[in-house]
Amino acid sequence: MAGTLFVMYTLVSLRLHQRMFTSSYDLGIFQQVVRSYAEGHLPVSEVKGQGFPVLGDHFSPVLALVAPFYLVWRGAETLLVVQAALIAVSVVPLALWARRTLGTLAGAVIGACYGLSWGIASAVGYDFHEVAFAAPLLVLSLTALGSGRLTAACCWALPLLLVKEDLGLTVCVLGLVVARRGNRRLGVCTAVAGLVGTAVALFVVLPAFNPSGSFAYWSLVQDPGAGGGQGAAASGGGGLLDLLHQGTIGLVTPQAKVTTFALLLAPTLFLALRSPLLWVALPTLVWRFASSNQLHWGTGFHYSLVLMPVVFAAYVDALVRRGTSGRGLRRHLAGSAVITLMILPSFPLFELVQPDTWRDGPRVAVARRLLAMIPDGATVQASDHLVPQLADRTSVGLYGSADARPEPQWVMVDTWVPAGQRWWPGQPLGAEEEQQRLAADLRSGYAMVDVQEGYVLLQRRK
């Protein structure tokens, strides 16, 4: 099952990259991070800004583990294959636990429903992310916890501190569940370690590396109208009221948050609510639903990847605690399978059966030909979906970004990006602004190398 899912995940993500549907945010950034580690220095990303230290953006030193594989094959494909392998491997301990406690049929169905779940499909269908490392760690920790192996549960959880700064809070809650299950000292120590790990990352490490001297995402817990950062904190009563709203009513409004929560639990027939293991999902749910970024509320992107292991582990635990067996168990498994299959067509894994997935459009060939004209080691500014194609061999930033390296040797722009896609951070310029910028570049020392199918390639005159 894990092998089959690995192939599926790999095919989906590689075809998206080959068809140039991957983006600078985030595959381009993570490729530059891993390339930095492979070259023997702390990670920097030109996409985030010239020489930007990524350890000041998110605390994810676990990405250094990808560097040896990147040395073997320098390219975004390495990151995508590693991500597919990490997620596929996470199916194994969950399915084995279900098989051991509920029977062979349960192991097969629950493993498949987890592997095909929409949260995993969304992550596989959108670039690469460091939280792929969290999937196997969470499953190993939660299956150990559900089996009563409390020490193993804590040992598997602690490496989450190296995956991302917010996962320390997940470790903290897991430690509290361990304490509730009987080993108070071990659970409290794990909870403290998680809390301290997050505090050190947020208040020491990230500010030390970030050029602004603070954690870059505090503004996400502020109302957008408050201005974020210190301005919001200084706004007095209004700021406090905003925080109070976001921490209460704001957690369940607007409707997108309720829909996401319902879809998380639906494949488990909402039985996951009956397991204490579900508490481990609370930190991720709180920061997402309290965020002022609407992308965090929905079912897209990679944000639900760390929740799926928790939800399905809680499902197994709930079935075991209820003593579900026989016809009752088969009904639950059938319901889970039906709901998973009903949801599946709305998410990226369904692209495997779409004919367009296996065809490259004519613009792809044109883009590859123009990209091949840019020499290795060059400095480049490029459009969003072109950045991951260049990040393995050039120093590439985003065209039009205020923080991009000035006067690069090459510029390559896709002028046919639809207006509806220009809201993304990877598209800092509107269509009219982009045309004005290109005209200014041609006046200020760049020569037109080629124009074809909406792609514009410029080279700086020596």
Side-chain angles (χ1 to χ4, degrees):
M1 182 185 296
T4 301
L5 290 167
F6 167 70
V7 172
M8 293 172 63
Y9 300 157
T10 301
L11 288 175
V12 168
S13 55
L14 288 184
R15 284 303 297 154
L16 287 169
H17 181 63
Q18 290 164 359
R19 294 161 64 205
M20 298 192 178
F21 288 148
T22 51
S23 58
S24 59
Y25 282 75
D26 294 307
L27 184 57
I29 292 173
F30 283 115
Q31 189 177 176
Q32 290 174 337
V33 170
V34 173
R35 178 180 172 183
S36 296
Y37 282 125
E39 293 173 351
H41 59 82
L42 291 177
V44 295
S45 173
E46 291 286 310
V47 174
K48 296 290 294 185
Q50 184 176 348
F52 185 90
V54 179
L55 286 176
D57 189 53
H58 288 299
F59 183 69
S60 304
V62 72
L63 290 171
L65 297 178
V66 187
F69 301 97
Y70 193 80
L71 287 172
V72 175
W73 183 276
R74 293 174 67 94
E77 296 85 355
T78 297
L79 279 69
L80 298 174
V81 171
V82 166
Q83 175 172 260
L86 287 167
I87 299 174
V89 163
S90 72
V91 175
V92 177
L94 180 71
L96 290 178
W97 179 35
R99 187 180 71 175
R100 186 173 62 251
T101 55
L102 298 169
T104 301
L105 179 63
V109 173
I110 292 174
C113 288
Y114 166 73
L116 298 173
S117 62
W118 64 264
I120 286 178
S122 292
V124 169
Y126 175 58
D127 291 6
F128 168 90
H129 295 89
E130 72 285 82
V131 289
F133 282 93
L137 291 172
L138 279 168
V139 171
L140 287 163
S141 179
L142 291 167
T143 55
L145 179 54
S147 302
R149 296 180 289 116
L150 303 185
T151 301
C154 294
C155 289
W156 284 116
L158 288 173
L160 291 169
L161 296 172
L162 303 178
V163 177
K164 199 173 180 184
E165 62 278 356
D166 66 287
L167 289 175
L169 299 178
T170 300
V171 174
C172 178
V173 174
L174 190 142
L176 295 177
V177 176
V178 168
R180 186 175 180 271
R181 291 236 165 158
N183 195 329
R184 183 169 297 179
R185 172 179 289 184
L186 176 64
V188 170
C189 287
T190 301
V192 170
L195 199 59
V196 170
T198 289
V200 170
L202 291 179
F203 298 105
V204 179
V205 178
L206 292 168
F209 282 96
N210 195 296
S212 70
S214 65
F215 180 49
Y217 299 98
W218 287 126
S219 60
L220 292 179
V221 296
Q222 309 284 357
D223 183 85
Q230 295 179 353
S235 62
L240 292 175
L241 288 176
D242 289 336
L243 290 175
L244 180 62
H245 177 271
Q246 287 178 259
T248 53
I249 298 173
L251 292 177
V252 293
T253 56
Q255 183 181 340
K257 300 175 183 180
V258 177
T259 301
T260 297
F261 187 67
L263 283 175
L264 280 171
L265 297 172
T268 74
L269 308 180
F270 294 86
L271 286 177
L273 287 167
R274 300 191 177 192
S275 170
L277 298 188
L278 192 62
W279 285 100
V280 178
L282 187 62
T284 299
L285 287 171
V286 169
W287 79 251
R288 283 182 59 186
F289 291 168
S291 169
S292 59
N293 185 345
Q294 297 182 21
L295 298 180
H296 294 156
W297 307 341
T299 57
F301 306 103
H302 61 288
Y303 298 117
S304 295
L305 177 58
V306 298
L307 296 175
M308 304 318 294
V310 182
V311 168
F312 277 89
Y315 183 36
V316 176
D317 186 56
L319 291 173
V320 172
R321 290 160 67 90
R322 283 166 51 93
T324 310
S325 61
R327 293 177 61 185
L329 177 61
R330 289 193 293 273
R331 283 197 300 269
H332 289 310
L333 296 176
S336 296
V338 168
I339 291 174
T340 299
L341 292 175
M342 288 175 61
I343 296 174
L344 185 62
S346 299
F347 291 90
L349 288 180
F350 198 68
E351 292 189 14
L352 288 172
V353 298
Q354 302 299 311
D356 286 346
T357 300
W358 308 103
R359 293 193 292 260
D360 290 342
R363 297 189 74 231
V364 172
V366 172
R368 287 176 180 162
R369 181 179 66 80
L370 297 182
L371 289 168
M373 298 174 68
I374 301 175
D376 294 353
T379 58
V380 188
Q381 284 188 25
S383 294
D384 178 47
H385 64 283
L386 301 176
V387 169
Q389 311 292 330
L390 290 164
D392 61 318
R393 61 184 185 88
T394 68
S395 179
V396 59
L398 276 169
Y399 184 70
S401 171
D403 298 320
R405 183 184 297 273
E407 299 183 350
Q409 296 167 322
W410 293 81
V411 167
M412 185 166 171
V413 179
D414 181 1
T415 62
W416 286 6
V417 175
Q421 296 180 14
R422 290 183 179 270
W423 57 269
W424 185 246
Q427 298 288 350
L429 299 177
E432 185 176 347
E433 294 174 307
E434 188 174 80
Q435 291 297 326
Q436 293 173 353
R437 177 70 177 266
L438 286 170
D441 287 339
L442 289 171
R443 292 194 300 268
S444 64
Y446 284 88
M448 183 75 71
V449 177
D450 205 344
V451 180
Q452 192 173 351
E453 292 287 328
Y455 291 107
V456 177
L457 181 64
L458 308 180
Q459 182 180 13
R460 187 162 187 83
R461 302 187 186 97
K462 296 181 180 180

